[in-house]
Amino acid sequence: MALLLIAAVAGLVSAATGVHLRIVAIVTVKLVAWGWFFLAGIGGLMLLIHEGPLPITNGWFAMFSGIAACPLVTPLLRQYFGVRISGAVQFLVALLIIIAGRLAVVIVLHRPFLPHRDG
C-alpha cells in the first residue's frame, strides 16, 4: 500500500513539475533509505544504549538493518573495497537482517513474529 502511494505521489510530482519520473523515483528511494537508516539504525543504537546489549535481539538487528540500507554504504564499499552492489541487493540485505531479527525474537524471547496492538 505504501509503495503504491509513493508511486502515485512520484507520478503527480513528475507531471506537475516536468521532472522525469526516473529522477523523482531515485530521490524518493534515497529519502526512504535515509529514513530507514535514521529510524532503524539510530533507533536500534539508542535502544542498545538505553537497554543494554542483551538479549541479542535488543536493537542489534534494527541497527544493522539501518546501516545496510544507508545510501553511504554503496559508495564507501566501492571506494575502499572495490565492491559494487546494486540498490536491490542493498535493500534485500537490509530486509533480510530485519526479518532475521524478528525470527530471533520468536525463537529467543518466545514472542509473536509481528507485534500485536493492545487496545
Side-chain angles (χ1 to χ4, degrees):
M1 181 67 177
L3 292 176
L4 291 175
L5 182 63
I6 290 171
V9 170
L12 290 174
V13 168
S14 175
T17 62
V19 177
H20 292 287
L21 188 59
R22 179 177 165 83
I23 294 170
V24 173
I26 290 171
V27 169
T28 304
V29 166
K30 295 286 185 189
L31 288 174
V32 169
W34 277 111
W36 185 250
F37 167 73
F38 284 113
L39 179 72
I42 303 299
L45 177 63
M46 295 306 296
L47 187 61
L48 287 170
I49 291 169
H50 185 264
E51 298 292 329
L54 296 175
I56 193 67
T57 60
N58 206 12
W60 289 104
F61 289 96
M63 182 181 72
F64 286 121
S65 175
I67 291 170
C70 181
L72 288 178
V73 169
T74 303
L76 290 175
L77 284 174
R78 185 174 48 242
Q79 181 179 359
Y80 292 110
F81 298 105
V83 176
R84 291 181 173 266
I85 59 171
S86 69
V89 170
Q90 189 175 6
F91 169 76
L92 283 175
V93 168
L95 181 66
L96 289 175
I97 291 171
I98 204 69
I99 289 172
R102 293 309 306 167
L103 287 174
V105 165
V106 170
I107 293 167
V108 175
L109 301 178
H110 307 290
R111 294 183 185 156
F113 185 79
L114 295 175
H116 44 280
R117 298 181 218 173
D118 295 331

